Amino acid sequence: MGPDPRLKWIVCMMVVIQFIAFYLVKDLDWKWVLFWTYTFGSCVNHSMTLAIHEISHNTAFGNHKALWNRYFAMFANLPIGLPYSASFKRYHLDHHRYLGGDGVDVDIPTDFEGWFFCTRVRKFIWIILQPLFYAIRPLCINPKPISQLELTNLVIQVSFNVLLFWMWGAKPVFYMLAGSLLGMGLHPISGHFIAEHYMFLKGHETYSYYGSLNLLTFNVGYHNEHHDFPSIPGRRLPLVKKIAAEYYADLPQYTSWVRVLYDFIMDDTLSPYSRVKRKLKGDVKQE
């Protein structure tokens, strides 16, 4: 356990790469803006959301510098365009503490999602609209008062977006925002949203993925390992699997997130309802 000293430098490099991309796309034809938005920008921005996931566990600077992690997450948030890092931290820790908790864990789809998106075509649309549902679901399931950090995140992000538009025009802003939405929708990397906790097999609630896309996603595919030890940085999760192989080797696992998306859409027994939901008892302490 403990911080990953390389994480902050990797995140800084990713932010710089996207800033360079903003400059490069400003003079391209729109068809090339669209091409690079999906093939490159969406990958980097989805990867950046998972860097923010890492930072939410204080793995950039450690638990003793928690506020440094919060502001560094806002810096990592800049190329994404949507101010969400501060809110993500609050809700994500509830997801770990109360996995599947009814009315608390906003990773659980709403009743409407489970009822409506039940056919192959509708599930396909639901996957495209994943960013929308992840944005509005907390407001429906577990709304929280706006915090000072969330306001700060909002002001910094909107100011950056306006500055980007003022300096280089609409194309970089489109590249930024569309890249985030496309990367979290119908995209190979977004298979992890479905792979992590949807019950493809009865009795198995959390699944790991050991494919090559972990290289772009800070090993978020090692999801059983991550939920067992959320304070261990993603870079060290393969070591957890190696040390405790007898606990992980025989668990159901994935090797393709694209196959996960395909199976979820085509398997008529699967839907947004294919999640474990728990009625929580006792005191519930949320972020």
Side-chain angles (χ1 to χ4, degrees):
M1 298 184 187
D4 177 0
R6 299 195 305 187
L7 177 62
K8 55 183 175 292
W9 304 115
I10 293 172
V11 169
C12 288
M13 179 186 69
M14 292 170 66
V15 171
V16 169
I17 287 172
Q18 282 297 69
F19 283 6
I20 293 172
F22 294 157
Y23 177 78
L24 293 176
V25 302
K26 69 183 180 67
D27 296 320
L28 294 179
D29 290 338
W30 275 106
K31 63 180 179 181
W32 289 111
V33 174
L34 288 168
F35 174 81
W36 289 113
T37 294
Y38 189 79
T39 59
F40 184 77
S42 62
C43 297
V44 178
N45 277 9
H46 197 138
S47 181
M48 191 64 82
T49 67
L50 296 168
I52 290 172
H53 165 257
E54 280 283 289
I55 299 165
S56 75
H57 290 285
N58 292 340
T59 56
F61 297 100
N63 292 323
H64 65 294
K65 293 181 178 178
L67 201 58
W68 286 34
N69 289 281
R70 303 291 76 73
Y71 284 109
F72 187 61
M74 294 181 198
F75 169 72
N77 200 152
L78 291 178
I80 296 172
L82 307 169
Y84 92 105
S85 66
S87 298
F88 176 81
K89 160 73 174 178
R90 300 178 73 192
Y91 285 104
H92 184 65
L93 295 192
D94 292 340
H95 167 70
H96 275 272
R97 194 175 292 138
Y98 305 110
L99 179 62
D102 189 16
V104 175
D105 183 2
V106 299
D107 197 52
I108 296 288
T110 61
D111 287 335
F112 169 77
E113 291 171 76
W115 167 77
F116 185 78
F117 296 101
C118 57
T119 68
R120 293 178 181 181
V121 172
R122 291 180 186 180
K123 285 189 288 184
F124 178 78
I125 295 171
W126 183 72
I127 287 174
I128 293 174
L129 298 178
Q130 279 285 322
L132 173 65
F133 287 110
Y134 268 95
I136 65 175
R137 201 180 289 151
L139 304 177
C140 301
I141 294 178
N142 186 17
K144 297 182 179 183
I146 298 175
S147 69
Q148 183 62 49
L149 282 173
E150 287 174 309
L151 288 174
T152 303
N153 190 189
L154 175 66
V155 170
I156 290 174
Q157 189 64 57
V158 171
S159 300
F160 173 78
N161 294 357
V162 170
L163 178 64
L164 182 63
F165 178 79
W166 178 73
M167 289 177 59
W168 293 332
K171 290 178 181 177
V173 176
F174 174 87
Y175 168 88
M176 174 177 64
L177 296 174
S180 296
L181 296 174
L182 291 171
M184 291 185 283
L186 189 65
H187 194 281
I189 297 177
S190 71
H192 80 86
F193 289 130
I194 306 297
E196 290 166 358
H197 298 296
Y198 283 79
M199 281 211 306
F200 281 70
L201 295 174
K202 296 296 183 183
H204 293 277
E205 181 180 5
T206 303
Y207 301 78
S208 287
Y209 157 83
Y210 299 124
S212 59
L213 286 177
N214 278 311
L215 296 172
L216 298 177
T217 59
F218 299 90
N219 285 329
V220 75
Y222 288 76
H223 218 65
N224 274 303
E225 295 84 347
H226 173 61
H227 270 265
D228 287 345
F229 303 101
S231 295
I232 294 180
R235 183 167 67 91
R236 300 186 191 130
L237 290 177
L239 183 59
V240 172
K241 181 175 181 288
K242 180 179 179 181
I243 292 171
E246 66 272 24
Y247 294 100
Y248 298 110
D250 295 330
L251 293 177
Q253 56 191 250
Y254 300 114
T255 57
S256 171
W257 278 334
V258 174
R259 182 59 187 266
V260 167
L261 291 173
Y262 176 83
D263 288 346
F264 180 80
I265 293 170
M266 301 305 293
D267 189 337
D268 293 333
T269 66
L270 296 171
S271 76
Y273 271 140
S274 301
R275 290 288 300 266
V276 174
K277 183 186 283 190
R278 296 177 173 86
K279 291 291 184 182
L280 299 176
K281 299 178 181 179
D283 294 334
V284 176
K285 298 179 181 180
Q286 302 185 54
E287 284 293 311

